[in-house]
């Protein structure tokens, strides 16, 4: 398993992905062919489940786009199943303490870094890959991406960042704004202060900072600030924006 976005990030590049929220391998292929570096298959919000996600992962791989999955919660069984079907990385919501981060790493990494269970799933080539090599490679190539999206996570960021095994630390601006009492106010100075503080801490710890961006201007601004893992918009949002704008031009 070669994780293309991990190599890109290691060579200093910025990577851009988008959220896939519907069960359509075709949409995954379209986004991959359009040039997104990764897709973020959302198993927290929306209808996708472990079986639909497996086929979306296959579609991404067929088009050399890195499949990353957001799991619904920091649960070792869910993390195990998600990695077993072949996710190249996981986002885990609401990582608010060192303990949360440690649990996440323990569930996602094989011995000696963690306690991920071993068997013969898709990620092991159904048992056909050389076992020791696969375990080592999977431990180093799988991206672990905690969500800092609650003020508790920001307050405990120093301890979270000291957890071995994290690659990218992702700021969730929507949930963070809610926990600050300013839900959805994405340009509020208090939110920006917490984002800027977190970005500086993540970079100082030598990790990659990631964030969600809802518009091109927003994404450009985040890249300028130093975020190198950009989650840009979402399948249904991009489609609805284009549909509405083209239709309104057509009806003029
Ligand atoms: C948030 O903003 O809370 C997110 O999880 C973005 O994907
Ligand atoms: Mg969130």
């Amino acid at each position: 398993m070669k994780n293309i976005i991990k190599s890109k990030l290691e060579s200093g590049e910025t990577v851009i992905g988008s959220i896939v929220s519907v069960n359509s391998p075709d949409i995954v292929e379209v986004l991959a062919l359009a040039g997104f570096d990764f897709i973020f298959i959302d198993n927290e919000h929306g209808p996708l489940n472990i079986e639909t996600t497996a086929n979306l992962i296959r579609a991404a791989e067929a088009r050399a786009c890195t499949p990353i999955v957001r799991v619904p919660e920091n649960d070792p069984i869910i993390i195990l199943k998600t990695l077993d079907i072949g996710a190249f990385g996981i986002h885990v919501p609401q990582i608010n303490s060192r303990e949360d981060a440690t649990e996440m790493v323990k569930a996602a990494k094989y011995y000696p870094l963690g306690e991920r269970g071993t068997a013969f799933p898709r990620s092991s080539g159904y048992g056909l890959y050389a076992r020791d090599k696969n375990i080592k490679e999977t431990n180093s190539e799988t991206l672990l991406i905690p969500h800092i999206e609650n003020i508790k996570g920001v307050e405990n960021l120093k301890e979270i960042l000291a957890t071995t095994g994290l690659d990218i630390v992702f700021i969730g601006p929507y949930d963070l704004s809610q926990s600050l009492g300013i839900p959805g106010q994405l340009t509020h100075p208090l939110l920006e202060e917490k984002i800027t503080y977190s970005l500086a801490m993540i970079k100082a710890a030598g990790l990659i900072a990631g964030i969600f961006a809802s518009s091109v201007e927003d994404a450009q601004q985040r890249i300028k600030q130093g975020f190198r893992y950009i989650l840009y918009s979402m399948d249904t949002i991009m489609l609805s924006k284009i549909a509405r704008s083209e239709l309104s031009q057509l009806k003029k």
Side-chain angles (χ1 to χ4, degrees):
M1 151 196 187
K2 186 80 200 126
N3 194 328
I4 303 172
I5 63 165
K6 186 164 187 281
S7 310
K8 284 189 176 177
L9 288 167
E10 280 165 1
S11 61
E13 288 178 51
T14 296
V15 297
I16 303 177
S18 188
I19 301 178
V20 167
S21 66
V22 294
N23 180 23
S24 168
D26 306 74
I27 282 184
V28 171
E29 286 192 281
V30 169
L31 294 175
L33 289 167
F36 280 106
D37 299 296
F38 67 95
I39 52 149
F40 167 110
I41 305 168
D42 199 355
N43 279 207
E44 182 190 20
H45 296 286
L48 297 176
N49 64 33
I50 203 79
E51 288 188 346
T52 51
T53 296
N55 286 330
L56 301 179
I57 289 174
R58 289 188 177 97
E61 284 184 79
R63 298 296 184 178
C65 179
T66 304
I68 305 291
V69 177
R70 170 159 67 181
V71 298
E73 59 179 316
N74 192 12
D75 177 284
I77 304 296
I78 296 171
I79 289 175
L80 176 62
K81 281 182 173 288
T82 305
L83 293 173
D84 275 2
I85 60 172
F88 280 47
I90 47 164
H91 278 243
V92 181
Q94 297 290 346
I95 296 298
N96 295 328
S97 65
R98 173 80 182 254
E99 293 71 45
D100 289 347
T102 305
E103 287 304 307
M104 169 183 173
V105 174
K106 202 160 66 161
K109 298 280 189 188
Y110 290 118
Y111 179 87
L113 304 174
E115 296 176 0
R116 175 175 167 187
T118 60
F120 310 100
R122 180 169 184 271
S123 63
S124 73
Y126 303 97
L128 291 172
Y129 298 159
R131 194 173 182 79
D132 288 352
K133 182 169 176 285
N134 184 242
I135 282 181
K136 273 199 197 103
E137 212 169 83
T138 306
N139 261 359
S140 77
E141 292 295 297
T142 304
L143 291 169
L144 300 195
I145 311 167
H147 271 226
I148 302 301
E149 53 185 359
N150 187 292
I151 186 59
K152 284 183 269 172
V154 176
E155 284 164 2
N156 293 326
L157 192 53
K158 193 160 180 257
E159 294 78 56
I160 293 171
L161 291 169
T163 313
T164 307
L166 305 178
D167 299 284
I168 297 159
V169 177
F170 186 89
I171 313 293
Y174 284 95
D175 281 316
L176 184 56
S177 70
Q178 174 167 261
S179 92
L180 293 169
I182 45 169
Q185 295 184 44
L186 294 197
T187 54
H188 196 291
L190 178 61
L191 177 65
E192 197 51 39
E193 182 200 310
K194 302 297 175 202
I195 292 176
T196 316
Y197 165 81
S198 303
L199 170 65
M201 294 278 286
I202 297 163
K203 285 173 70 178
L207 297 175
I208 310 287
I211 195 161
F212 177 78
S214 60
S215 69
V216 171
E217 298 71 36
D218 186 14
Q220 286 169 335
Q221 176 60 21
R222 292 309 184 194
I223 292 169
K224 226 184 266 168
Q225 279 180 302
F227 286 93
R228 293 209 288 122
Y229 177 94
I230 304 293
L231 182 60
Y232 176 74
S233 196
M234 179 165 150
D235 50 8
T236 46
I237 293 176
M238 286 190 278
L239 180 61
S240 62
K241 272 189 186 167
I242 290 169
R244 180 176 274 175
S245 139
E246 295 196 356
L247 193 59
S248 75
Q249 286 177 49
L250 200 63
K251 284 183 171 175
K252 263 185 199 153

